[in-house]
Amino acid sequence: MQISLLPALLLMSLTLLLSLFPKTQAQAQQAQWPQKTYYRSIEANGYQVFYREAGDPSRPTLLLLHGYPASSHAYRELIPLLSGHFHIIAPDNLGSGYSDKPNPDTTRYSFDLLAETMAAMTKALELKHYILYMQDFGAPVGFRLMMMQPERLSGLIVQNANAYLDGLTAKRQAFFRRAAEDRSPAMVQKLYRVTGPQGVINTQYLRDVQDRKEIMSPDSWSHDLYHLATPEQRNIQVQLFQDYQSNIDAYPKWQTFLRQQQPPTLIVWGKRDPAFIFPGATAYLRDVPKAEVHLLDAGHFSVEEKPVAIAKLIIDFVNQLPNHSR
């Protein structure tokens, strides 16, 4: 009885042909089952810092830094999409979310304090290397952190996070300058109103999605407002607004750091953002010309609108890093 070798030969030929081509983007982004997210706290700089952790610690670590008025809760959709591929740490800044909130009457809040606490947390967790993801307030914390720990930085992911005047309109620059210089009761009250329900819901989360409000989960602002329920909690953010000009003044130092260090950089920027405008994304190319830039059809909170698109870009980016940054 003769057995035809044709099917076997066809299979061998197909296998050989497939081996000649690199993995497609779809294959590179193959979905992985998410790992369980754990909710932990650790002492850092004398405070308890809350963080979400997921994924295998032997894999590349992504350190997710949140913005205003949010916390690590902002990454609740992104973490499961990445946790099958990477080790994820998403902390709450001091004064935000579930982290300690020392009374602002006795503790002066600044971005230096937030970054010092974050640096202490990375040491307490023994994070020897990490890929830094930063959004909004995450930039001033993140740049201070990476300048304190340049040897730990394996890569940089920028999402609507400014380091250039190009990303701020003249009106926005004037606002931050006045917040720093004008400590009158009227100005303090104006900043205080920004931290209330009207400011958080309508001038933050819903501002950029007026034609598609259903895309924005009410869980986002409900969670934030829970942690902005008292005058003390709101005054923490007021003090940070008053300190924001220190970040703008530091832009030249941050740019020099980028130019000298040339970290592998991915920029995913919501181009609908009227506060941190998209020229701030392409400005990074002046100092990190090899950066990968993607302008998304989204607003300031792109990770709320397009977590899957951002996750795919992150997976491709990290998988191209040397040794996957392990």
Side-chain angles (χ1 to χ4, degrees):
M1 178 174 137
Q2 290 186 329
I3 300 176
S4 173
L5 296 177
L6 184 59
L9 290 171
L10 286 173
L11 180 59
M12 289 176 61
S13 299
L14 179 60
T15 302
L16 179 60
L17 282 171
L18 289 174
S19 71
L20 297 176
F21 295 94
K23 285 185 177 181
T24 65
Q25 190 177 53
Q27 288 172 314
Q29 296 169 353
Q30 184 176 5
Q32 300 285 342
W33 284 111
Q35 299 289 310
K36 167 65 183 170
T37 299
Y38 295 90
Y39 306 89
R40 298 180 164 126
S41 292
I42 194 166
E43 184 175 338
N45 202 24
Y47 306 107
Q48 286 295 312
V49 174
F50 173 88
Y51 64 100
R52 300 164 197 254
E53 182 173 17
D56 184 348
S58 69
R59 295 187 174 188
T61 296
L62 269 65
L63 180 59
L64 311 181
L65 301 184
H66 68 82
Y68 171 84
S71 66
S72 59
H73 181 259
Y75 299 117
R76 66 196 177 280
E77 293 187 43
L78 186 63
I79 291 172
L81 294 168
L82 297 176
S83 62
H85 299 266
F86 312 118
H87 176 223
I88 311 297
I89 297 287
D92 290 352
N93 280 331
L94 183 69
S96 295
Y98 295 114
S99 287
D100 276 354
K101 300 177 182 67
N103 193 315
D105 292 337
T106 55
T107 299
R108 186 68 192 180
Y109 282 81
S110 68
F111 288 97
D112 283 344
L113 176 62
L114 267 54
E116 289 162 6
T117 304
M118 197 64 67
M121 186 210 72
T122 64
K123 292 176 182 177
L125 291 175
E126 299 182 352
L127 301 181
K128 295 181 180 179
H129 301 282
Y130 50 73
I131 298 153
L132 196 61
Y133 182 115
M134 54 191 198
Q135 190 262 343
D136 189 77
F137 274 15
V141 176
F143 272 103
R144 285 170 171 82
L145 179 64
M146 69 179 91
M147 291 176 75
M148 285 188 277
Q149 304 176 339
E151 73 286 352
R152 301 186 187 215
L153 183 69
S154 300
L156 183 61
I157 303 171
V158 179
Q159 190 248 297
N160 296 73
N162 262 321
Y164 296 86
L165 289 177
D166 309 58
L168 296 171
T169 62
K171 183 178 180 180
R172 183 68 50 170
Q173 292 180 46
F175 170 79
F176 287 130
R177 190 163 51 248
R178 187 180 171 203
E181 297 172 353
D182 184 355
R183 302 302 173 94
S184 67
M187 185 59 185
V188 171
Q189 189 58 35
K190 179 179 180 179
L191 296 175
Y192 187 83
R193 285 196 298 271
V194 171
T195 68
Q198 170 70 17
V200 169
I201 298 172
N202 294 313
T203 64
Q204 291 290 325
Y205 286 103
L206 296 183
R207 179 195 60 200
D208 305 348
V209 294
Q210 287 298 310
D211 58 340
R212 49 204 172 113
K213 292 181 180 179
E214 68 278 4
I215 201 170
M216 194 65 69
S217 170
D219 294 344
S220 55
W221 61 76
S222 297
H223 186 275
D224 294 351
L225 290 172
Y226 175 81
H227 293 287
L228 289 168
T230 70
E232 292 77 16
Q233 291 168 344
R234 293 173 67 176
N235 281 329
I236 290 170
Q237 304 305 321
V238 168
Q239 290 186 5
L240 290 172
F241 277 125
Q242 291 173 328
D243 189 51
Y244 199 89
Q245 183 63 39
S246 70
N247 306 320
I248 297 172
D249 294 340
Y251 282 179
K253 289 193 296 185
W254 299 356
Q255 294 159 15
T256 298
F257 176 87
L258 292 174
R259 195 160 54 249
Q260 293 175 345
Q261 297 293 322
Q262 292 296 308
T265 302
L266 169 68
I267 300 169
V268 286
W269 199 288
K271 63 184 179 181
R272 288 176 174 237
D273 186 350
F276 287 6
I277 54 178
F278 72 83
T282 53
Y284 277 86
L285 295 173
R286 292 203 293 267
D287 296 307
V288 195
K290 294 183 180 179
E292 183 181 335
V293 180
H294 298 268
L295 299 179
L296 307 178
D297 184 20
H300 187 69
F301 297 97
S302 300
V303 75
E304 294 274 1
E305 297 183 61
K306 293 186 175 291
V308 174
I310 291 174
K312 289 179 178 179
L313 292 169
I314 290 173
I315 291 167
D316 279 352
F317 170 70
V318 177
N319 285 344
Q320 292 169 19
L321 296 179
N323 299 319
H324 291 189
S325 291
R326 286 183 176 83

